[in-house]
């Protein structure tokens, strides 16, 4: 799946040193509880998810505007159907929407035909409600299916941001051949769930750990950015409006983005632009000297 | 959503509610009935009644802040002197179920009975009607709110799903004043070995960091003009080492002149009168509609 390791730092447009592609998973109340039906006895759990598109998203869009940075929103199409006005604002304000399942299905559990059906249905919703189709894919709920990259290519997707195994983009291989399907890996270190998400019954995290310190979470994230910038890599995030778009945590995001913006050698781009650049600049295809 | 003008009375920018759940040992007992003879485990909760309540009441008197106490009906009966002291100090009392039941496995009828009996017992101890309710654990069955009026209840502070009040659809005006996990002491500080809490037995959080989270949340609630609902437990923060966190937080909040520090009923009355409709797309309305569609389809 992974092209051979290339030790050279990536090249970025206009001589930028590093890239940041902020990305948010706008899950709303989709996911396991909706898929198994248990959600419909839990109005509070539904509302906690609905907080993302309803309350967090508008404040988050303002924050991104103030900072002048683009972002990618991976949105299950069910969320787009049920909060159409809120989701249209994403596109109107210059950000990208991308595929994240219809109801946040785990692709590992789907047959190939089911994957085609989920994508076709979701693209229709995106087209009808938002006037755009997704060019990017982020695997909801964990692993994708071994055939998923082939399915993505058949639907014309340009990139995926589903894997954890690198700190810069790479190209997926299919049947032994390098393709132009770009992977923009994201890592748990930049996933707000790992620090801040909490729910009791259903338990999250499953071991019921504490909610982390906001100050230390911000410190971790700043250090991650500093490291990616120092090595000239591509940082993307797994942030969720319902988790880090809550009031006190918006202040974490605001300070993190201000920290990033204090450097003028960082390229801020949405994921689609990163994928375009990766292909245009021909990276990931050169032979690597042994 | 960015225009906060007129959202709260007298030009206040944000509303603050300090709330306390008087669970004593009922939260442990209702979650794990088999511990009825485990004195050490039960004493973790009883500390709140014997020491925590008066420590908190002393602090609230010192700082002159009104607060809202949620008391299960059986605790009101068993610890009636403490409950009367809370009421006599001018704080609001609200219902918290009857035996701190987990609502999740209960039928709608069982939930209605827990709400009714809890409010009734509390009312008998204090001699005053009770207007507010907080689910002890678990969630409401859809439709429960429509039965609130029969117990004299007209607001709830149970759901974690928002940072502004809203109206429960189909209830004739029951106001929800949402709670937030990050503003609850239990999540950060409660610890018990057996039965385990947290289930993964993680460490007790850093006091300084929790105060930092709560303070940062206040800064954001103030900026966005929201309703800040702090949720404490006498057995968790009514302790010698943690009461200082509550003192520091409230002192910090009180240094802001444009904050409405109040209790549940005034918030509910203000919201019902001034914000009679939920925002378009509110998750509570969407949930009610989708669930009704599902039932109609069956």
């Amino acid at each position: 799946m992974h092209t051979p390791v290339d030790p050279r730092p990536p090249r970025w447009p206009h001589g930028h040193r590093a890239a940041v592609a902020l990305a948010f998973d706008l899950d709303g109340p989709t996911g396991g509880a909706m898929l198994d039906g248990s959600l419909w006895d839990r109005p509070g759990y539904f509302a906690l998810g609905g907080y993302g598109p309803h309350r967090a998203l508008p404040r988050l869009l303002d924050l991104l505007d103030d900072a002048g940075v683009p972002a990618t929103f991976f949105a299950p199409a069910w969320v787009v159907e049920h909060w159409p006005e809120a989701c249209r604002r994403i596109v109107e304000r210059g950000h990208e929407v991308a595929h994240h399942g219809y109801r946040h299905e785990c692709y590992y559990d789907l047959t190939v035909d089911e994957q085609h059906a989920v994508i076709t249905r979701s693209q229709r919703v995106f087209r009808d409600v938002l006037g755009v189709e997704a060019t990017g894919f982020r695997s909801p709920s964990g692993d994708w299916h071994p055939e998923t990259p082939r399915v993505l290519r058949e639907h014309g997707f340009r990139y995926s941001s589903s894997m954890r195994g690198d700190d810069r983009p790479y190209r997926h291989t299919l049947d032994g051949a390098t393709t132009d399907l770009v992977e923009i890996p994201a890592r748990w270190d930049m996933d707000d769930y790992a620090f801040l998400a909490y729910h009791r019954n259903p338990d999250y995290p499953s071991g019921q750990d504490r909610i982390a310190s906001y100050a230390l979470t911000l410190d971790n994230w700043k250090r991650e950015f500093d490291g990616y910038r120092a090595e000239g890599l591509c940082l993307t995030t797994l942030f969720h409006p319902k988790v880090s778009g809550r009031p006190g945590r918006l202040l974490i995001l605001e300070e993190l983005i201000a920290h990033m913006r204090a450097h003028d050698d960082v390229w801020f781009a949405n994921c689609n632009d990163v994928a375009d650049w990766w292909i245009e600049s021909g990276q990931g295809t050169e032979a690597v000297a042994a | 959503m960015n225009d906060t003008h007129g959202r709260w009375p007298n030009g206040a920018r944000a509303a603050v509610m300090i709330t306390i759940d008087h669970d004593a040992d009922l939260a442990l007992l209702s979650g794990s009935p088999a511990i009825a003879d485990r004195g050490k485990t039960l004493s973790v909760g009883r500390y709140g009644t014997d020491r925590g309540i008066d420590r908190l009441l002393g602090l609230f008197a010192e700082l002159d802040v009104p607060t809202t106490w949620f008391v299960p009906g059986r605790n009101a009966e068993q610890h009636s002197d403490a409950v009367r002291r809370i009421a006599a100090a001018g704080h609001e009392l609200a219902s918290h179920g009857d035996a701190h039941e987990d609502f999740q496995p209960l039928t709608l009828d069982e939930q209605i009975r827990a709400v009714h009996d809890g409010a009734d017992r509390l009312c008998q101890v204090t001699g005053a009607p009770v207007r507010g309710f907080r689910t002890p654990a678990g969630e409401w069955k859809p439709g429960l709110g429509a039965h609130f009026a029969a117990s004299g209840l007209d607001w709830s502070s149970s759901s974690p799903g928002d940072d502004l009040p809203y109206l429960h659809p189909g209830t004739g005006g029951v106001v929800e004043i949402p709670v937030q996990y990050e503003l609850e002491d239990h999540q950060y500080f409660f610890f018990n070995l057996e039965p385990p809490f947290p289930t993964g037995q993680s460490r007790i959080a850093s006091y300084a960091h929790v105060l930092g989270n709560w303070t940062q949340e206040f800064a954001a609630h103030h900026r966005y003009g929201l309703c800040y609902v702090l949720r404490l437990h006498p057995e968790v923060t009514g302790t010698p080492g943690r009461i200082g966190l509550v003192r520091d937080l409230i002192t910090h909040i009180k240094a802001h002149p444009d904050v409405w520090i109040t209790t549940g009923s005034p918030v509910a009355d203000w919201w019902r009168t001034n914000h009679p409709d939920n925002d378009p797309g509110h998750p509570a309305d969407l949930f009610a509609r989708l669930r009704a569609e599902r039932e109609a389809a069956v």
Side-chain angles (χ1 to χ4, degrees):
Chain A
M1 298 287 285
H2 199 323
T3 47
V5 174
D6 185 340
R8 294 168 298 190
R11 302 186 305 279
W12 300 111
H14 312 299
H16 281 110
R17 179 190 180 101
V20 169
L22 292 175
F24 296 86
D25 295 1
L26 186 66
D27 296 340
T30 66
M34 181 180 284
L35 294 167
D36 70 19
S38 61
L39 182 67
W40 303 107
D41 276 326
R42 297 177 186 273
Y45 194 52
F46 182 95
L48 199 66
Y51 186 91
H54 182 64
R55 289 276 185 235
L57 179 60
R59 293 181 197 145
L60 193 53
L61 291 175
D62 284 349
L63 189 148
L64 293 170
D65 260 4
D66 290 346
V69 290
T72 300
F73 288 82
F74 294 94
W78 190 95
V79 173
V80 174
E81 269 181 337
H82 287 84
W83 282 279
E85 290 301 326
C87 291
R88 274 195 280 270
R89 300 279 174 277
I90 299 173
V91 180
E92 286 168 12
R93 291 166 83 164
H95 303 290
E96 180 190 4
V97 286
H99 181 83
H100 201 42
Y102 178 70
R103 292 190 298 171
H104 206 271
E105 298 84 358
C106 180
Y107 272 65
Y108 188 78
D109 297 333
L110 300 182
T111 66
V112 168
D113 284 348
E114 287 168 340
Q115 294 177 47
H116 280 296
V118 166
I119 291 172
T120 301
R121 181 180 191 183
S122 299
Q123 291 286 44
R124 191 183 312 127
V125 171
F126 271 43
R127 203 167 51 238
D128 291 349
V129 178
L130 305 176
V132 294
E133 285 193 353
T135 61
F137 173 94
R138 177 170 279 175
S139 183
S141 290
D143 286 295
W144 68 18
H145 183 280
E147 287 298 314
T148 301
R150 194 185 311 277
V151 172
L152 295 182
R153 299 230 328 133
E154 287 172 18
H155 284 272
F157 280 98
R158 196 167 291 154
Y159 76 91
S160 146
S161 180
S162 305
M163 296 294 149
R164 300 291 182 270
D166 213 335
D167 41 34
R168 67 203 80 189
Y170 62 85
R171 294 168 186 249
H172 282 284
T173 54
L174 206 53
D175 303 326
T178 301
T179 72
D180 58 2
L181 179 67
V182 176
E183 176 68 28
I184 305 172
R187 295 179 51 77
W188 296 116
D189 325 288
M190 295 302 293
D191 185 340
D192 54 12
Y193 256 77
F195 301 90
L196 301 173
Y198 186 95
H199 191 262
R200 181 106 48 93
N201 191 14
D203 286 2
Y204 188 87
S206 59
Q208 284 286 326
D209 202 351
R210 315 287 184 175
I211 297 168
S213 151
Y214 291 6
L216 295 183
T217 300
L218 173 62
D219 182 69
N220 283 17
W221 290 349
K222 283 181 176 174
R223 288 173 190 272
E224 285 292 335
F225 166 79
D226 291 345
Y228 276 76
R229 178 177 166 270
E231 295 191 33
L233 307 173
C234 177
L235 176 71
T236 188
T237 57
L238 287 153
F239 291 159
H240 301 73
K242 66 182 172 186
V243 175
S244 51
R246 301 187 64 85
R249 295 150 182 192
L250 282 169
L251 305 192
I252 299 178
L253 296 184
E254 188 175 62
E255 201 170 331
L256 174 67
I257 294 171
H259 176 78
M260 294 170 165
R261 294 272 291 147
H263 305 275
D264 57 9
D265 54 1
V266 175
W267 182 47
F268 288 88
N270 64 38
C271 290
N272 184 68
D273 290 339
V274 169
D276 277 353
W277 163 257
W278 203 252
I279 298 300
E280 283 166 20
S281 59
Q283 297 185 82
T285 52
E286 307 96 327
V288 178
Chain B
M1 282 311 303
N2 291 322
D3 182 14
T4 60
H5 180 74
R7 188 179 285 166
W8 301 111
N10 301 317
R13 185 168 181 91
V16 169
M17 261 175 72
I18 313 289
T19 72
I20 303 94
D21 294 358
H22 175 211
D23 296 345
D25 48 16
L26 287 181
L28 287 157
L29 264 175
S30 68
S32 310
I35 65 163
D37 291 326
R38 290 187 177 229
K40 181 180 105 174
T41 293
L42 294 176
S43 72
V44 172
R46 283 194 182 141
Y47 180 87
T49 304
D50 295 340
R51 296 289 176 206
I53 288 177
D54 288 315
R55 188 171 279 120
L56 284 166
L57 286 176
L59 178 68
F60 299 147
E62 173 193 326
L63 298 179
D64 189 27
V65 286
T67 65
T68 311
W69 293 66
F70 296 88
V71 183
R74 289 174 192 274
N75 270 349
E77 280 186 347
Q78 197 177 348
H79 308 291
S80 53
D81 286 349
V83 169
R84 289 195 194 98
R85 283 203 299 283
I86 296 166
H91 301 288
E92 178 168 6
L93 285 157
S95 181
H96 197 37
D98 192 34
H100 202 282
E101 300 85 354
D102 179 358
F103 273 42
Q104 205 67 50
L106 300 187
T107 64
L108 180 59
D109 283 347
E110 289 168 334
Q111 293 188 355
I112 293 168
R113 195 179 319 130
V115 170
H116 177 78
D117 291 354
D120 203 35
R121 279 187 225 271
L122 181 57
C123 184
Q124 282 176 17
V125 171
T126 62
V130 179
R131 292 182 50 195
F133 174 79
R134 174 172 283 167
T135 313
E139 293 205 33
W140 291 12
K141 283 276 181 299
L144 179 64
H147 297 271
F148 269 33
S151 299
L153 303 171
D154 66 1
W155 62 270
S156 152
S157 181
S158 304
S159 170
D162 208 342
D163 46 36
L164 286 168
Y166 59 87
L167 292 159
H168 281 289
T171 60
V174 173
V175 176
E176 176 67 27
I177 307 169
V179 288
Q180 305 186 21
Y181 283 122
E182 52 270 35
L183 292 176
E184 182 172 356
D185 59 0
H186 198 273
Q187 265 58 261
Y188 295 104
F189 296 137
F190 195 85
F191 186 90
N192 193 53
L193 193 64
E194 183 59 45
F197 185 90
T199 49
Q201 293 282 1
S202 54
R203 313 290 180 183
I204 292 171
S206 150
Y207 292 8
H209 293 155
V210 174
L211 180 59
N213 285 13
W214 289 349
T215 306
Q216 180 156 323
E217 285 294 344
F218 173 73
H221 281 70
H222 184 262
R223 179 199 283 194
Y224 294 111
L226 308 177
C227 186
Y228 183 92
V229 180
L230 186 69
R231 182 178 189 177
L232 306 175
H233 297 74
E235 66 273 24
V236 180
T237 33
T239 69
R242 297 180 190 140
I243 192 74
L245 304 179
V246 185
R247 177 183 286 108
D248 289 355
L249 179 67
I250 296 176
T251 303
H252 173 77
I253 291 171
K254 286 195 71 171
H256 296 71
D258 54 354
V259 171
W260 185 34
I261 305 180
T262 186
T263 65
S265 289
V267 170
D269 288 339
W270 169 265
W271 200 265
R272 191 183 296 111
T273 304
N274 293 280
H275 307 272
D277 295 307
N278 290 340
D279 304 330
H282 196 283
D285 293 339
L286 182 58
F287 182 84
R289 175 166 69 79
L290 293 174
R291 200 165 188 289
E293 286 172 9
R294 283 172 69 86
E295 289 189 342
V298 172

